[in-house]
Amino acid sequence: MRITFKYRLNPSPAQRAALQRQLDCCRFVYNKALEARKTAYEERQESLSRYDTVTMIPQWKAENEWIKEGHAQAMQEALTRLDLAFRAFFRRVKSGEKETGYPRFRGRGWYDSFTYPQEKSNWRFLDNGRIRLSKIGDVKIVLHRPLEGQCKTLTLRRDRVGNWHACFSCQVETIFLPLTDKVVGVDLGLTTFATMSDGTKINRQRWMRQDAKDIARLQRKKEAFAKGSSQRRKVMRALCHAYERAANRRKNFAHQESRKLVNETQFIAFEKLDIAEMQVTGNKTISRGIADVAWGQFVQFTAYKAANAGRTVTLVNPRGTTQMCSGCREIVPKNLSVRLHDCPHCGLKLNRDHNAALNILALGLQSMGSIPRSSPVNGGE
């Protein structure tokens, strides 16, 4: 299986400039290839392949001397990204999706990474806490944990704040966790982040509220300066820091809780929620709350961890899981203000989220046919 190891880089000012030049070269090649493929289809009804655009790079270098500073394989990887974007676009068109997502030209702030596809000639670790990067130099790297497996690619990524990270994609051996009999259904919510079918709960952490005052202050301060001014750029950087803090807290929470869940549970059932549709409610408070809790991120992290650990994750249709009684299967209507499930048919009384979690578990086990006791079927549905 593939695992990504992410490390912080501490480049010097000259190395930052070199990293930016590589980004600019890759972005230029990406946009030129997109223009060529778009023009070829509009004028000649011809579809260009990745190979066709790769053969155009020498001509672009002859016309633009500055892109000769770009790393050849990194620029070819940029064309691979473009080709994958076109393949995804055609797949969405073929399946009849409304949002087809035609590939877009990338502005200076919308292309933030480039990839070295091979280790030997493009990068290697040094003994002094540095990594030697082709066309960049010897850059300081914070190796907070050792690399595992065989490195396949290295992606150098710049975040919105301007920090650089080295992301190694490594092929490692899959090691399944010991089997366990524990199964659980998970009901995700806004009042409580998650309620399990065994009655345990994960409390909600309100990430954006912790930085809301700071963000609001910076938003007001930003509007006081003219666009493009140095003062506005400083405020924007501080604003990006505030948003990044909230995103990092949210991601760390999702990683920790998903790891606990996978370590303890053999079978996990979630609702298959249409989060984008749920956010179109007209109620800004609810929409912001759904975005803040990041259910999709939690489910995604749990699914890939489960696949790598020999666990099973399944997604079930959420229709009726809240209204149905987990004891007698009768429908007991209730609105959002009713937090207690009180069944008039069988007399079952329990928290509505706990009742929903029990129904989700039952549907999940029903979809599997039986309680799984071996390797996972898949990491999603």
Side-chain angles (χ1 to χ4, degrees):
M1 66 178 179
R2 286 284 186 100
I3 291 181
T4 299
F5 295 85
K6 184 177 179 181
Y7 303 96
R8 175 76 176 268
L9 294 177
N10 292 320
S12 67
Q15 291 168 345
R16 284 183 179 274
L19 288 165
Q20 183 61 52
R21 282 196 299 272
Q22 295 303 316
L23 274 185
D24 291 339
C25 291
C26 291
R27 182 173 61 88
F28 177 85
V29 168
Y30 183 98
N31 288 337
K32 289 290 287 185
L34 176 55
E35 179 186 13
R37 294 180 71 149
K38 188 172 182 289
T39 302
Y41 186 79
E42 290 176 349
E43 295 181 355
R44 306 186 299 274
Q45 299 297 304
E46 178 185 357
S47 295
L48 299 182
S49 65
R50 174 190 175 278
Y51 176 78
D52 295 329
T53 55
V54 168
T55 59
M56 297 178 183
I57 292 180
Q59 178 185 347
W60 296 336
K61 286 184 177 181
E63 297 171 354
N64 304 271
E65 289 286 329
W66 64 275
I67 70 168
K68 291 182 179 179
E69 298 181 21
H71 191 279
Q73 291 185 335
M75 290 190 290
Q76 291 176 17
E77 284 296 305
L79 300 184
T80 301
R81 294 184 187 183
L82 178 63
D83 189 62
L84 291 174
F86 268 104
R87 289 174 184 270
F89 165 72
F90 290 127
R91 184 181 67 249
R92 289 189 291 268
V93 170
K94 188 176 181 179
S95 62
E97 296 184 25
K98 293 182 180 180
E99 300 293 335
T100 53
Y102 187 83
R104 298 179 181 181
F105 291 99
R106 300 303 183 110
R108 185 176 177 84
W110 295 98
Y111 197 94
D112 295 324
S113 66
F114 61 94
T115 299
Y116 290 135
Q118 297 176 356
E119 178 178 1
K120 291 182 179 180
S121 58
N122 296 328
W123 82 86
R124 66 186 178 90
F125 288 102
L126 304 178
D127 296 332
N128 56 356
R130 295 174 181 265
I131 181 172
R132 179 162 294 172
L133 302 173
S134 179
K135 298 276 188 175
I136 308 296
D138 298 347
V139 184
K140 291 182 180 179
I141 185 170
V142 182
L143 292 170
H144 61 277
R145 59 171 175 168
L147 275 174
E148 299 176 12
Q150 182 182 5
C151 293
K152 295 295 185 180
T153 63
L154 167 60
T155 298
L156 301 176
R157 186 179 303 277
R158 182 190 62 191
D159 62 24
R160 301 297 294 175
V161 180
N163 298 320
W164 282 91
H165 301 271
C167 304
F168 297 87
S169 179
C170 299
Q171 188 74 32
V172 300
E173 183 180 355
T174 303
I175 302 176
F176 288 167
L177 293 175
L179 295 177
T180 175
D181 290 330
K182 185 175 180 180
V183 297
V184 71
V186 184
D187 178 67
L188 301 172
L190 292 177
T191 305
T192 302
F193 177 76
T195 302
M196 313 297 175
S197 55
D198 60 4
T200 59
K201 296 181 179 181
I202 302 175
N203 293 326
R204 178 185 172 184
Q205 308 294 320
R206 299 179 183 272
W207 310 113
M208 293 305 298
R209 180 176 293 181
Q210 299 180 35
D211 294 297
K213 290 184 179 180
D214 196 26
I215 289 173
R217 176 183 62 82
L218 291 170
Q219 289 282 14
R220 292 192 298 269
K221 190 175 181 180
K222 180 189 71 172
E223 298 304 323
F225 299 113
K227 291 184 178 180
S229 64
S230 60
Q231 296 95 332
R232 188 182 177 98
R233 284 196 294 270
K234 289 180 181 179
V235 177
M236 287 292 294
R237 181 178 173 82
L239 190 59
C240 287
H241 268 293
Y243 278 114
E244 187 183 37
R245 282 197 301 269
N248 287 341
R249 291 194 193 104
R250 188 185 301 114
K251 184 181 293 185
N252 182 62
F253 173 80
H255 273 302
Q256 291 186 357
E257 295 299 332
S258 61
R259 171 50 60 194
K260 292 176 187 176
L261 189 59
V262 169
N263 285 349
E264 299 171 357
T265 313
Q266 183 69 33
F267 176 79
I268 307 164
F270 289 105
E271 296 172 288
K272 187 178 181 180
L273 300 173
D274 189 343
I275 297 174
E277 184 68 25
M278 293 174 67
Q279 288 183 284
V280 186
T281 61
N283 188 318
K284 292 184 179 179
T285 302
I286 294 178
S287 297
R288 282 197 296 265
I290 293 173
D292 190 30
V293 292
W295 294 324
Q297 185 181 68
F298 177 67
V299 173
Q300 178 190 8
F301 288 178
T302 304
Y304 87 77
K305 286 181 173 68
N308 295 336
R311 308 305 200 204
T312 303
V313 169
T314 188
L315 305 180
V316 303
N317 189 341
R319 184 179 180 84
T321 53
T322 300
Q323 309 297 334
M324 183 185 297
C325 176
S326 59
C328 63
R329 318 303 291 173
E330 294 290 337
I331 300 298
V332 183
K334 57 181 83 69
N335 57 36
L336 287 174
S337 63
V338 179
R339 306 308 304 170
L340 178 68
H341 171 77
D342 187 357
C343 181
H345 305 284
C346 67
L348 178 65
K349 291 184 179 181
L350 73 168
N351 181 277
R352 63 177 286 154
D353 295 336
H354 187 190
N355 176 72
L358 289 168
N359 287 327
I360 292 167
L361 175 60
L363 290 172
L365 293 176
Q366 182 181 352
S367 69
M368 299 298 298
S370 61
I371 299 177
R373 303 183 60 84
S374 58
S375 61
V377 174
N378 54 44
E381 297 181 7

